[in-house]
Amino acid sequence: GARTAAGEDTGGPADGDGHDGAVLALKDALVEFLSKREGCVAHMNEINNDKFLRSVMAAQQPKPVTAVNKHWVRNHEDVFVVLRTADND
């Protein structure tokens, strides 16, 4: 399956603990999620099924994000990249 990997550091820790009314940026939440994974890599299904990331996606403004997909990654390729397995899965 397609995999997503974090690239460059975004310059600081992810903010937005939900107590100040600020919406945590999905980009920041995903960097944090991937930083805890071996090689900073996760299958897109793992990203889209993660309960915390789903709540962050739902809170995005001006409209919720329904899923992290290849299109979303391409729009954020300054930080993320889609990786494919040798059999192009």
Side-chain angles (χ1 to χ4, degrees):
R3 296 178 179 267
T4 308
E8 297 294 317
D9 184 3
T10 58
D15 294 327
D17 57 6
H19 292 60
D20 58 6
V23 173
L24 177 60
L26 178 54
K27 189 173 173 178
D28 293 338
L30 189 51
V31 166
E32 180 72 22
F33 176 84
L34 292 171
S35 71
K36 297 174 183 173
R37 318 244 343 156
E38 182 179 346
C40 296
V41 175
H43 195 283
M44 281 190 188
N45 288 345
E46 294 174 280
I47 293 167
N48 290 318
N49 291 333
D50 182 81
K51 191 173 186 176
F52 175 71
L53 289 177
R54 290 205 59 78
S55 70
V56 172
M57 286 186 252
Q60 295 306 291
Q61 297 298 324
K63 65 180 187 173
V65 174
T66 55
V68 171
N69 54 32
K70 291 183 284 187
H71 178 73
W72 187 93
V73 172
R74 280 190 211 111
N75 287 337
H76 298 88
E77 61 188 2
D78 57 319
V79 179
F80 305 105
V81 63
V82 173
L83 304 175
R84 298 218 170 259
T85 58
D87 60 359
N88 205 25
D89 179 26

